Every structure is written in structure tokens, then in C-alpha cells.
């Protein structure tokens, strides 16, 4: 799935089947369900989910909590616009899916 395909799927009522938690959470966030997105990644321990978790706390405005999650994955607190970071994360995770 390309980034454009993923973005097009945001018009659907449900996320595409088979998305791993991190991508499902990005889909949920972009369709207006921050709480469900947070619930989706909160219990996950993989780096992708933790990256999305950090982004979610940035969206929420809780930069201290976001910073904690960025540090867990060896990244600095992102200062890019939220939309740009969402695109970056989604593109990276989709590229990982293609390379599997």
C-alpha cells in the first residue's frame, strides 16, 4: 500500500484489513479518534507503535510525555508540523510493510 492509498482509505468507515497496530492507530487518529488510536498503541512494545505513541502525545499537546516516548526509540522531540510528521511516520511504516 502506498501513502496515497493509505490516505485514500481514510474515507472508509473502517481501516484496511491487516494493518499492524501502529498504522491502524495513525488511521484512527486521522479519522478523528485520538482515544482509540492511543488505546491501540498503548500496550504495544514495538518501535513503530512507540513512535506513533510519541506523535499522539504531541497531537495532544503533552510534550513531556511525547518526549519520553521519543527518547524510548532514540529520537529527539519532533518539531515538524504535525501533518508532516504523520506523513513521515506513515510513509516509513508503509515502506517497512512493502520490504517484508
Amino acid at each position: 500500500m502506498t501513502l496515497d492509498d493509505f490516505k485514500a482509505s481514510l474515507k472508509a468507515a473502517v481501516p484496511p484489513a491487516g494493518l499492524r497496530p501502529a498504522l491502524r492507530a495513525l488511521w484512527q487518529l486521522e479519522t478523528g479518534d485520538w482515544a482509540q488510536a492511543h488505546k491501540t498503541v498503548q500496550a504495544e512494545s514495538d518501535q513503530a507503535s512507540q513512535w506513533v505513541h510519541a506523535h499522539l502525545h504531541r497531537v495532544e499537546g503533552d510534550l513531556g510525555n511525547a518526549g519520553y516516548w521519543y527518547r524510548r526509540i532514540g529520537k529527539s522531540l519532533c518539531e515538524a508540523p504535525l501533518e508532516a510528521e504523520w506523513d513521515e511516520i506513515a510513509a516509513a511504516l508503509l515502506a517497512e510493510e512493502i520490504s517484508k
Side-chain angles (χ1 to χ4, degrees):
M1 177 183 305
T2 67
L3 181 58
D4 287 338
D5 295 334
F6 187 60
K7 286 182 173 184
S9 79
L10 297 169
K11 296 175 185 166
V14 295
L19 290 180
R20 64 182 172 159
L23 281 167
R24 191 169 60 250
L26 285 176
W27 189 96
Q28 292 162 333
L29 172 65
E30 198 64 14
T31 58
D33 198 346
W34 185 96
Q36 186 59 49
H38 187 256
K39 184 176 179 180
T40 297
V41 293
Q42 190 170 21
E44 300 295 325
S45 60
D46 61 284
Q47 189 166 2
S49 293
Q50 291 181 18
W51 191 9
V52 174
H53 200 158
H55 178 72
L56 287 168
H57 285 295
R58 251 191 94 211
V59 169
E60 179 188 33
D62 186 350
L63 298 183
N65 203 349
Y68 166 80
W69 289 101
Y70 284 112
R71 286 189 300 278
R72 284 189 58 136
I73 58 170
K75 293 184 178 284
S76 299
L77 182 68
C78 184
E79 295 182 8
L82 293 170
E83 298 81 11
E85 185 186 25
W86 187 96
D87 283 353
E88 176 188 355
I89 297 169
L93 299 183
L94 290 164
E96 286 177 13
E97 293 297 313
I98 291 170
S99 68
K100 286 184 180 178

Coordinates of all heavy atoms in Angstrom, one line a residue:
M1 N 0.8 -1.2 0.0 CA 0.0 0.0 0.0 C 0.9 1.2 0.0 O 1.8 1.3 0.8 CB -0.9 0.0 1.2 CG -1.8 1.2 1.4 SD -2.8 1.2 2.9 CE -3.7 -0.3 2.8
T2 N 0.6 2.2 -0.9 CA 1.3 3.4 -0.9 C 0.7 4.4 0.1 O -0.4 4.2 0.6 CB 1.2 4.1 -2.3 OG1 -0.1 4.5 -2.5 CG2 1.7 3.1 -3.4
L3 N 1.4 5.5 0.3 CA 0.9 6.6 1.2 C -0.4 7.1 0.6 O -1.3 7.4 1.4 CB 2.0 7.7 1.4 CG 1.6 8.8 2.3 CD1 1.3 8.3 3.7 CD2 2.7 9.8 2.4
D4 N -0.4 7.3 -0.7 CA -1.6 7.8 -1.3 C -2.8 6.9 -1.1 O -3.9 7.3 -0.8 CB -1.4 8.1 -2.8 CG -0.6 9.3 -3.0 OD1 -0.5 10.2 -2.1 OD2 0.0 9.4 -4.1
D5 N -2.6 5.5 -1.2 CA -3.6 4.5 -0.9 C -4.1 4.6 0.5 O -5.3 4.5 0.8 CB -3.1 3.1 -1.2 CG -2.7 2.9 -2.7 OD1 -3.3 3.5 -3.6 OD2 -1.9 2.0 -2.9
F6 N -3.1 4.7 1.4 CA -3.4 4.8 2.8 C -4.3 6.0 3.1 O -5.3 5.9 3.8 CB -2.1 4.8 3.7 CG -2.3 4.7 5.1 CD1 -3.0 3.6 5.7 CD2 -1.9 5.7 6.0 CE1 -3.2 3.5 7.1 CE2 -2.0 5.6 7.4 CZ -2.7 4.5 7.9
K7 N -3.9 7.2 2.6 CA -4.7 8.4 2.8 C -6.1 8.2 2.2 O -7.0 8.7 2.7 CB -3.9 9.6 2.2 CG -2.8 10.0 3.0 CD -2.1 11.3 2.4 CE -1.0 11.8 3.3 NZ -0.5 13.1 2.8
A8 N -6.2 7.6 1.0 CA -7.5 7.4 0.4 C -8.4 6.5 1.3 O -9.6 6.7 1.3 CB -7.3 6.8 -1.0
S9 N -7.8 5.6 2.0 CA -8.5 4.7 2.9 C -9.2 5.5 4.0 O -10.1 4.9 4.7 CB -7.7 3.6 3.4 OG -6.8 4.0 4.5
L10 N -8.7 6.7 4.3 CA -9.3 7.4 5.4 C -10.8 7.8 5.2 O -11.4 8.2 6.1 CB -8.5 8.7 5.6 CG -7.0 8.5 6.0 CD1 -6.2 9.8 6.0 CD2 -6.9 7.9 7.4
K11 N -11.2 7.7 4.0 CA -12.6 8.0 3.7 C -13.5 6.8 4.0 O -14.8 7.0 4.0 CB -12.8 8.3 2.2 CG -12.0 9.6 1.8 CD -12.1 9.8 0.3 CE -11.2 11.0 0.0 NZ -10.9 11.1 -1.5
A12 N -13.0 5.7 4.3 CA -13.8 4.5 4.6 C -14.2 4.5 6.0 O -13.7 5.3 6.9 CB -12.9 3.2 4.3
A13 N -15.2 3.7 6.4 CA -15.7 3.6 7.7 C -14.8 2.8 8.7 O -14.9 3.0 9.9 CB -17.1 3.0 7.7
V14 N -14.0 2.0 8.1 CA -13.1 1.1 8.9 C -11.7 1.1 8.3 O -11.6 1.3 7.1 CB -13.7 -0.3 9.1 CG1 -15.0 -0.3 9.9 CG2 -13.8 -1.0 7.7
P15 N -10.7 0.9 9.1 CA -9.4 0.8 8.5 C -9.2 -0.4 7.6 O -9.9 -1.4 7.8 CB -8.4 0.8 9.7 CG -9.3 0.3 10.8 CD -10.7 0.7 10.5
P16 N -8.2 -0.3 6.7 CA -8.0 -1.5 5.8 C -7.6 -2.7 6.7 O -7.0 -2.6 7.8 CB -6.8 -1.1 5.0 CG -6.8 0.4 5.0 CD -7.4 0.8 6.3
A17 N -8.0 -3.9 6.3 CA -7.8 -5.1 7.0 C -6.3 -5.4 7.0 O -5.5 -5.0 6.1 CB -8.5 -6.3 6.3
G18 N -5.8 -5.9 8.1 CA -4.4 -6.4 8.2 C -3.4 -5.3 8.6 O -2.2 -5.6 8.6
L19 N -3.9 -4.1 8.9 CA -2.9 -3.1 9.4 C -2.3 -3.5 10.7 O -3.0 -3.9 11.6 CB -3.5 -1.7 9.5 CG -4.0 -1.0 8.2 CD1 -4.6 0.3 8.6 CD2 -2.9 -0.8 7.2
R20 N -1.0 -3.3 10.8 CA -0.4 -3.6 12.2 C -0.8 -2.4 13.1 O -1.3 -1.4 12.6 CB 1.1 -3.7 12.1 CG 1.8 -2.5 11.6 CD 3.3 -2.9 11.5 NE 4.1 -1.8 10.9 CZ 5.4 -1.7 11.1 NH1 6.0 -2.5 11.8 NH2 6.0 -0.7 10.4
P21 N -0.7 -2.6 14.4 CA -1.2 -1.6 15.3 C -0.8 -0.1 15.1 O -1.6 0.8 15.1 CB -0.8 -2.1 16.7 CG -0.7 -3.6 16.5 CD -0.2 -3.7 15.1
A22 N 0.5 0.1 14.8 CA 1.0 1.4 14.6 C 0.2 2.1 13.4 O -0.2 3.3 13.5 CB 2.5 1.4 14.3
L23 N 0.1 1.4 12.3 CA -0.6 2.0 11.1 C -2.1 2.2 11.4 O -2.7 3.2 11.0 CB -0.4 1.2 9.9 CG 0.9 1.4 9.2 CD1 1.2 0.3 8.2 CD2 1.0 2.7 8.5
R24 N -2.7 1.2 12.1 CA -4.1 1.3 12.5 C -4.3 2.6 13.4 O -5.3 3.3 13.2 CB -4.6 0.0 13.2 CG -6.1 0.0 13.3 CD -6.6 -1.4 13.8 NE -6.1 -1.8 15.0 CZ -5.2 -2.8 15.2 NH1 -4.8 -3.5 14.2 NH2 -4.8 -3.1 16.4
A25 N -3.4 2.8 14.3 CA -3.5 4.0 15.2 C -3.4 5.3 14.4 O -4.1 6.2 14.6 CB -2.5 3.9 16.3
L26 N -2.5 5.3 13.4 CA -2.4 6.5 12.6 C -3.7 6.7 11.8 O -4.2 7.9 11.7 CB -1.3 6.4 11.6 CG 0.1 6.6 12.1 CD1 1.2 6.3 11.0 CD2 0.3 8.0 12.7
W27 N -4.3 5.7 11.3 CA -5.6 5.7 10.6 C -6.7 6.3 11.6 O -7.4 7.2 11.2 CB -6.0 4.4 10.1 CG -7.1 4.4 9.1 CD1 -7.1 4.4 7.8 CD2 -8.5 4.3 9.5 NE1 -8.4 4.4 7.3 CE2 -9.3 4.4 8.3 CE3 -9.2 4.2 10.7 CZ2 -10.7 4.3 8.3 CZ3 -10.6 4.2 10.7 CH2 -11.3 4.3 9.5
Q28 N -6.7 5.7 12.8 CA -7.7 6.1 13.8 C -7.5 7.6 14.1 O -8.5 8.4 14.2 CB -7.6 5.3 15.0 CG -8.0 3.8 14.8 CD -7.6 2.9 15.8 OE1 -6.6 3.0 16.4 NE2 -8.3 1.8 16.0
L29 N -6.3 8.0 14.3 CA -6.0 9.4 14.6 C -6.5 10.3 13.5 O -7.2 11.3 13.8 CB -4.5 9.6 14.8 CG -4.0 11.1 15.0 CD1 -4.6 11.7 16.3 CD2 -2.5 11.2 15.0
E30 N -6.2 10.0 12.3 CA -6.5 10.9 11.2 C -8.0 10.9 10.9 O -8.5 11.9 10.3 CB -5.7 10.4 9.9 CG -5.7 11.5 8.9 CD -4.9 12.7 9.2 OE1 -4.1 12.7 10.2 OE2 -5.0 13.7 8.5
T31 N -8.7 9.9 11.4 CA -10.2 9.9 11.2 C -10.9 10.4 12.4 O -12.1 10.3 12.5 CB -10.7 8.5 10.8 OG1 -10.3 7.5 11.8 CG2 -10.2 8.0 9.5
G32 N -10.1 11.0 13.4 CA -10.7 11.7 14.5 C -10.9 11.0 15.8 O -11.6 11.5 16.7
D33 N -10.3 9.8 15.9 CA -10.4 9.0 17.1 C -9.1 8.9 17.9 O -8.5 7.8 17.9 CB -11.0 7.7 16.8 CG -11.6 7.0 18.0 OD1 -11.3 7.4 19.2 OD2 -12.4 6.0 17.9
W34 N -8.6 10.0 18.5 CA -7.4 10.0 19.2 C -7.4 9.0 20.3 O -6.4 8.3 20.5 CB -7.1 11.4 19.8 CG -5.8 11.5 20.5 CD1 -4.6 12.0 19.9 CD2 -5.5 11.1 21.8 NE1 -3.6 12.0 20.8 CE2 -4.1 11.4 22.0 CE3 -6.2 10.6 22.9 CZ2 -3.4 11.1 23.2 CZ3 -5.5 10.3 24.1 CH2 -4.1 10.6 24.2
A35 N -8.5 8.9 21.1 CA -8.5 8.0 22.2 C -8.3 6.5 21.7 O -7.6 5.8 22.4 CB -9.9 8.1 22.9
Q36 N -9.0 6.1 20.7 CA -8.8 4.8 20.2 C -7.4 4.5 19.6 O -6.9 3.5 19.8 CB -9.9 4.4 19.1 CG -9.9 3.0 18.7 CD -10.1 2.0 19.8 OE1 -11.0 2.2 20.6 NE2 -9.3 1.0 20.0
A37 N -6.9 5.6 19.0 CA -5.5 5.4 18.5 C -4.5 5.2 19.6 O -3.7 4.4 19.6 CB -5.1 6.7 17.7
H38 N -4.7 6.0 20.7 CA -3.9 5.8 21.9 C -4.0 4.4 22.5 O -3.0 3.8 22.8 CB -4.2 6.9 22.9 CG -3.3 6.9 24.0 ND1 -3.6 6.4 25.3 CD2 -2.0 7.4 24.1 CE1 -2.6 6.6 26.1 NE2 -1.6 7.1 25.4
K39 N -5.3 4.0 22.6 CA -5.5 2.6 23.1 C -4.9 1.6 22.2 O -4.3 0.6 22.8 CB -7.0 2.4 23.2 CG -7.4 1.1 23.8 CD -8.9 1.0 23.9 CE -9.3 -0.3 24.6 NZ -10.8 -0.4 24.7
T40 N -4.9 1.8 20.9 CA -4.3 0.8 20.0 C -2.8 0.6 20.2 O -2.3 -0.5 20.2 CB -4.6 1.2 18.6 OG1 -6.0 1.2 18.4 CG2 -4.0 0.3 17.6
V41 N -2.1 1.7 20.5 CA -0.6 1.6 20.6 C -0.1 1.5 22.0 O 1.0 1.1 22.3 CB 0.1 2.7 19.8 CG1 -0.1 2.6 18.4 CG2 -0.2 4.1 20.4
Q42 N -1.0 1.8 23.0 CA -0.5 1.9 24.3 C 0.1 0.7 24.9 O 1.1 0.7 25.6 CB -1.7 2.4 25.2 CG -1.3 2.7 26.6 CD -2.4 3.4 27.4 OE1 -3.6 3.2 27.1 NE2 -2.0 4.1 28.4
A43 N -0.4 -0.5 24.5 CA 0.1 -1.7 25.1 C 1.1 -2.4 24.2 O 1.6 -3.4 24.5 CB -1.1 -2.7 25.3
E44 N 1.4 -1.8 23.1 CA 2.4 -2.4 22.1 C 3.8 -1.9 22.5 O 4.0 -0.8 23.0 CB 2.1 -1.9 20.7 CG 0.7 -2.3 20.2 CD 0.5 -3.8 20.1 OE1 1.5 -4.5 19.7 OE2 -0.6 -4.2 20.3
S45 N 4.8 -2.8 22.3 CA 6.1 -2.5 22.7 C 7.1 -2.3 21.5 O 8.3 -2.0 21.7 CB 6.7 -3.6 23.6 OG 6.6 -4.9 22.9
D46 N 6.6 -2.5 20.3 CA 7.5 -2.4 19.1 C 7.8 -0.9 18.9 O 7.1 0.0 19.3 CB 6.8 -3.0 17.9 CG 5.5 -2.3 17.5 OD1 4.5 -2.6 18.2 OD2 5.5 -1.6 16.5
Q47 N 8.9 -0.6 18.2 CA 9.4 0.7 17.9 C 8.4 1.5 17.1 O 8.2 2.7 17.4 CB 10.7 0.7 17.2 CG 11.4 2.0 17.2 CD 12.8 2.0 16.8 OE1 13.4 0.9 16.6 NE2 13.5 3.1 16.7
A48 N 7.7 0.9 16.2 CA 6.7 1.7 15.3 C 5.6 2.2 16.2 O 5.2 3.4 16.1 CB 6.2 0.8 14.2
S49 N 5.1 1.4 17.1 CA 4.0 1.8 17.9 C 4.4 2.9 18.9 O 3.7 3.8 19.2 CB 3.4 0.6 18.7 OG 2.8 -0.3 17.8
Q50 N 5.6 2.8 19.4 CA 6.1 3.8 20.3 C 6.3 5.1 19.6 O 6.1 6.2 20.2 CB 7.4 3.3 21.0 CG 7.1 2.2 21.9 CD 8.4 1.7 22.6 OE1 9.4 2.3 22.7 NE2 8.3 0.5 23.2
W51 N 6.7 5.1 18.3 CA 6.8 6.3 17.5 C 5.5 7.0 17.3 O 5.3 8.2 17.6 CB 7.5 6.0 16.2 CG 7.9 7.1 15.3 CD1 8.0 8.5 15.7 CD2 8.3 7.1 14.0 NE1 8.4 9.2 14.7 CE2 8.7 8.4 13.6 CE3 8.5 6.1 13.1 CZ2 9.1 8.7 12.3 CZ3 9.0 6.4 11.8 CH2 9.3 7.7 11.4
V52 N 4.5 6.2 17.0 CA 3.1 6.7 16.9 C 2.6 7.2 18.2 O 2.0 8.3 18.3 CB 2.2 5.6 16.3 CG1 0.7 6.1 16.3 CG2 2.6 5.2 14.9
H53 N 3.0 6.5 19.3 CA 2.6 6.9 20.7 C 3.1 8.3 21.0 O 2.4 9.2 21.5 CB 3.1 5.9 21.7 CG 2.4 5.9 23.0 ND1 2.4 4.8 23.8 CD2 1.7 6.9 23.6 CE1 1.7 5.2 24.9 NE2 1.3 6.4 24.8
A54 N 4.4 8.5 20.6 CA 5.0 9.8 20.8 C 4.3 10.9 20.0 O 4.0 12.0 20.5 CB 6.5 9.8 20.4
H55 N 4.0 10.6 18.8 CA 3.2 11.5 17.9 C 1.9 11.9 18.5 O 1.5 13.0 18.5 CB 3.1 11.0 16.5 CG 2.3 11.8 15.6 ND1 2.8 13.0 15.1 CD2 1.1 11.7 15.1 CE1 1.9 13.6 14.3 NE2 0.8 12.8 14.3
L56 N 1.2 10.9 19.0 CA -0.1 11.1 19.6 C 0.0 12.1 20.8 O -0.9 12.9 20.9 CB -0.7 9.8 20.1 CG -1.2 8.8 19.0 CD1 -1.5 7.4 19.6 CD2 -2.4 9.4 18.3
H57 N 1.0 11.9 21.6 CA 1.1 12.9 22.7 C 1.5 14.3 22.3 O 1.1 15.3 22.9 CB 2.1 12.3 23.8 CG 1.4 11.2 24.6 ND1 0.3 11.5 25.4 CD2 1.6 9.9 24.7 CE1 -0.1 10.3 26.0 NE2 0.7 9.4 25.5
R58 N 2.2 14.4 21.1 CA 2.4 15.7 20.5 C 1.1 16.3 20.1 O 0.9 17.5 20.3 CB 3.4 15.5 19.3 CG 4.7 16.1 19.5 CD 5.5 16.1 18.2 NE 5.3 17.5 17.6 CZ 5.3 17.8 16.4 NH1 5.4 16.8 15.5 NH2 5.2 19.0 16.0
V59 N 0.3 15.5 19.4 CA -1.0 16.0 19.0 C -1.8 16.5 20.2 O -2.5 17.5 20.1 CB -1.8 14.9 18.2 CG1 -3.2 15.2 18.0 CG2 -1.1 14.5 16.9
E60 N -1.7 15.7 21.2 CA -2.5 16.1 22.5 C -1.9 17.4 23.1 O -2.6 18.0 23.9 CB -2.4 14.9 23.4 CG -3.0 15.1 24.7 CD -2.7 13.9 25.7 OE1 -1.6 13.4 25.7 OE2 -3.6 13.6 26.5
G61 N -0.7 17.7 22.8 CA -0.1 18.8 23.4 C 0.7 18.5 24.7 O 1.2 19.4 25.4
D62 N 0.9 17.2 25.0 CA 1.6 16.8 26.2 C 3.1 16.5 25.7 O 3.5 15.4 25.5 CB 1.0 15.5 26.8 CG 1.6 15.1 28.1 OD1 2.7 15.6 28.4 OD2 1.0 14.2 28.7
L63 N 3.9 17.6 25.6 CA 5.2 17.4 25.1 C 6.2 16.7 26.0 O 7.1 16.0 25.5 CB 5.8 18.8 24.7 CG 5.0 19.5 23.6 CD1 5.7 20.9 23.3 CD2 4.8 18.7 22.4
G64 N 5.9 16.7 27.3 CA 6.7 16.0 28.2 C 6.6 14.5 28.0 O 7.5 13.7 28.0
N65 N 5.3 14.0 27.9 CA 5.0 12.6 27.6 C 5.5 12.2 26.2 O 6.1 11.1 26.1 CB 3.5 12.4 27.8 CG 3.2 10.9 28.1 OD1 4.0 10.0 28.0 ND2 2.0 10.7 28.5
A66 N 5.3 13.1 25.3 CA 5.8 12.8 23.9 C 7.3 12.6 23.9 O 7.8 11.7 23.4 CB 5.4 14.0 23.0
G67 N 8.0 13.5 24.7 CA 9.5 13.4 24.7 C 9.9 12.1 25.3 O 10.9 11.5 24.9
Y68 N 9.2 11.6 26.3 CA 9.5 10.3 26.9 C 9.5 9.2 25.8 O 10.4 8.4 25.7 CB 8.5 10.0 28.0 CG 8.6 8.5 28.5 CD1 9.5 8.1 29.3 CD2 7.6 7.6 28.0 CE1 9.6 6.7 29.7 CE2 7.6 6.3 28.4 CZ 8.6 5.8 29.3 OH 8.7 4.5 29.6
W69 N 8.4 9.2 25.0 CA 8.3 8.1 24.0 C 9.3 8.3 22.9 O 9.8 7.3 22.4 CB 6.8 8.1 23.5 CG 5.9 7.6 24.5 CD1 5.1 8.3 25.4 CD2 5.8 6.2 24.9 NE1 4.5 7.4 26.2 CE2 4.9 6.2 26.0 CE3 6.4 5.0 24.5 CZ2 4.5 5.0 26.6 CZ3 6.0 3.8 25.1 CH2 5.1 3.8 26.2
Y70 N 9.6 9.5 22.5 CA 10.7 9.7 21.5 C 12.0 9.2 22.0 O 12.7 8.5 21.3 CB 10.8 11.2 21.1 CG 9.7 11.7 20.2 CD1 8.8 12.7 20.7 CD2 9.6 11.3 18.9 CE1 7.8 13.2 19.9 CE2 8.6 11.8 18.1 CZ 7.7 12.7 18.5 OH 6.8 13.2 17.7
R71 N 12.3 9.5 23.3 CA 13.6 9.0 23.9 C 13.6 7.5 23.9 O 14.7 6.9 23.7 CB 13.8 9.6 25.3 CG 14.2 11.1 25.3 CD 14.6 11.5 26.7 NE 13.5 11.4 27.7 CZ 12.5 12.2 27.9 NH1 12.4 13.3 27.1 NH2 11.6 12.0 28.8
R72 N 12.5 6.9 24.1 CA 12.5 5.4 24.2 C 12.9 4.8 22.8 O 13.4 3.7 22.8 CB 11.1 4.9 24.5 CG 10.8 5.0 26.0 CD 9.5 4.3 26.4 NE 9.6 2.9 26.0 CZ 9.2 1.9 26.8 NH1 8.7 2.2 28.0 NH2 9.3 0.7 26.4
I73 N 12.7 5.5 21.7 CA 13.0 5.0 20.4 C 14.3 5.7 19.9 O 14.6 5.5 18.7 CB 11.9 5.0 19.4 CG1 11.4 6.5 19.3 CG2 10.8 4.1 19.9 CD1 10.4 6.6 18.1
G74 N 15.0 6.5 20.7 CA 16.2 7.1 20.3 C 16.0 8.3 19.4 O 16.9 8.6 18.6
K75 N 14.9 9.0 19.5 CA 14.6 10.1 18.6 C 14.5 11.4 19.5 O 14.1 11.3 20.7 CB 13.4 10.0 17.8 CG 13.4 8.9 16.7 CD 12.1 8.9 15.9 CE 12.2 7.9 14.8 NZ 13.0 8.3 13.7
S76 N 14.8 12.5 18.9 CA 14.5 13.8 19.6 C 13.0 14.2 19.4 O 12.4 13.7 18.4 CB 15.4 14.9 19.0 OG 16.7 14.6 19.2
L77 N 12.5 15.0 20.3 CA 11.2 15.5 20.1 C 11.1 16.2 18.8 O 11.8 17.0 18.4 CB 10.9 16.5 21.2 CG 9.5 17.1 21.3 CD1 8.5 16.1 21.6 CD2 9.4 18.3 22.3
C78 N 10.1 15.7 18.0 CA 9.9 16.3 16.7 C 9.4 17.7 16.7 O 8.5 18.0 17.6 CB 8.9 15.4 15.9 SG 8.6 15.8 14.2
E79 N 9.9 18.5 15.9 CA 9.4 19.9 15.8 C 8.7 20.2 14.5 O 8.3 21.4 14.2 CB 10.6 20.9 16.1 CG 11.1 20.7 17.5 CD 12.2 21.7 17.8 OE1 12.5 22.6 17.0 OE2 12.8 21.5 18.9
A80 N 8.6 19.2 13.6 CA 8.0 19.4 12.3 C 6.5 19.6 12.5 O 5.9 19.2 13.6 CB 8.2 18.2 11.4
P81 N 5.8 20.2 11.6 CA 4.3 20.3 11.7 C 3.7 18.9 11.9 O 4.3 17.9 11.4 CB 3.9 21.0 10.4 CG 5.1 21.7 9.9 CD 6.3 20.9 10.4
L82 N 2.7 18.8 12.7 CA 2.0 17.5 13.0 C 1.7 16.8 11.7 O 1.9 15.5 11.6 CB 0.8 17.7 13.8 CG 1.1 18.2 15.2 CD1 -0.2 18.6 15.9 CD2 1.8 17.2 16.1
E83 N 1.2 17.4 10.7 CA 0.8 16.8 9.5 C 2.0 16.2 8.7 O 1.9 15.1 8.2 CB 0.1 17.7 8.5 CG -1.2 18.3 9.1 CD -1.0 19.5 10.0 OE1 0.1 20.0 10.1 OE2 -2.0 19.8 10.7
A84 N 3.1 16.9 8.8 CA 4.3 16.4 8.1 C 4.9 15.2 8.9 O 5.3 14.3 8.2 CB 5.4 17.5 8.1
E85 N 4.8 15.2 10.2 CA 5.3 14.1 10.9 C 4.4 12.9 10.7 O 4.9 11.8 10.5 CB 5.4 14.4 12.4 CG 6.0 13.2 13.2 CD 6.0 13.3 14.7 OE1 5.2 14.0 15.2 OE2 6.9 12.6 15.3
W86 N 3.1 13.1 10.6 CA 2.1 12.0 10.4 C 2.5 11.3 9.0 O 2.6 10.1 8.9 CB 0.7 12.5 10.3 CG -0.3 11.4 10.2 CD1 -1.0 10.8 11.3 CD2 -0.8 10.8 9.0 NE1 -1.9 9.9 10.8 CE2 -1.8 9.8 9.4 CE3 -0.5 10.9 7.7 CZ2 -2.4 9.0 8.5 CZ3 -1.2 10.1 6.7 CH2 -2.1 9.2 7.1
D87 N 2.7 12.2 8.0 CA 3.1 11.7 6.7 C 4.4 10.9 6.8 O 4.6 9.8 6.2 CB 3.3 12.8 5.7 CG 2.0 13.3 5.2 OD1 0.9 12.8 5.4 OD2 2.0 14.4 4.4
E88 N 5.4 11.4 7.5 CA 6.7 10.8 7.6 C 6.6 9.4 8.3 O 7.1 8.4 7.8 CB 7.7 11.6 8.5 CG 9.0 11.0 8.7 CD 9.9 11.7 9.7 OE1 9.5 12.8 10.2 OE2 10.9 11.2 10.1
I89 N 5.8 9.3 9.4 CA 5.6 8.0 10.1 C 4.9 7.1 9.2 O 5.3 5.9 9.0 CB 4.9 8.2 11.4 CG1 5.7 9.1 12.4 CG2 4.6 6.9 12.0 CD1 4.9 9.6 13.6
A90 N 3.8 7.5 8.6 CA 3.0 6.6 7.7 C 3.8 6.1 6.6 O 3.8 4.9 6.3 CB 1.8 7.3 7.2
A91 N 4.6 7.0 5.9 CA 5.4 6.6 4.8 C 6.5 5.5 5.2 O 6.7 4.5 4.5 CB 6.1 7.8 4.1
A92 N 7.1 5.8 6.3 CA 8.1 4.9 6.8 C 7.6 3.5 7.2 O 8.1 2.5 6.8 CB 8.8 5.5 8.1
L93 N 6.4 3.5 7.8 CA 5.8 2.2 8.2 C 5.3 1.5 7.0 O 5.4 0.2 6.9 CB 4.7 2.4 9.3 CG 5.2 3.1 10.6 CD1 4.0 3.2 11.5 CD2 6.3 2.4 11.2
L94 N 4.7 2.2 6.1 CA 4.2 1.5 4.8 C 5.4 0.9 4.0 O 5.3 -0.2 3.5 CB 3.4 2.5 4.0 CG 2.1 2.9 4.6 CD1 1.5 4.1 3.9 CD2 1.1 1.7 4.5
A95 N 6.5 1.7 4.0 CA 7.7 1.2 3.3 C 8.2 -0.1 4.0 O 8.7 -1.0 3.3 CB 8.8 2.2 3.3
E96 N 8.2 -0.2 5.3 CA 8.6 -1.4 6.0 C 7.7 -2.6 5.6 O 8.2 -3.7 5.5 CB 8.5 -1.2 7.5 CG 9.6 -0.3 8.1 CD 9.4 -0.1 9.6 OE1 8.6 -0.8 10.2 OE2 10.1 0.8 10.1
E97 N 6.4 -2.3 5.5 CA 5.5 -3.3 5.1 C 5.8 -3.9 3.7 O 5.7 -5.1 3.5 CB 4.0 -2.8 5.1 CG 3.5 -2.5 6.5 CD 3.4 -3.6 7.4 OE1 2.9 -4.7 7.0 OE2 3.9 -3.5 8.5
I98 N 6.2 -3.0 2.8 CA 6.5 -3.4 1.4 C 7.8 -4.3 1.4 O 7.8 -5.2 0.6 CB 6.6 -2.2 0.5 CG1 5.3 -1.5 0.3 CG2 7.2 -2.5 -0.8 CD1 5.3 -0.2 -0.4
S99 N 8.7 -3.9 2.2 CA 10.0 -4.6 2.2 C 10.0 -6.0 2.9 O 10.9 -6.7 2.8 CB 11.1 -3.7 2.8 OG 10.9 -3.6 4.2
K100 N 8.8 -6.3 3.6 CA 8.7 -7.6 4.3 C 8.5 -8.7 3.3 O 7.9 -8.7 2.3 CB 7.6 -7.6 5.3 CG 8.0 -6.8 6.5 CD 6.8 -6.9 7.5 CE 7.2 -6.1 8.7 NZ 6.1 -6.1 9.7

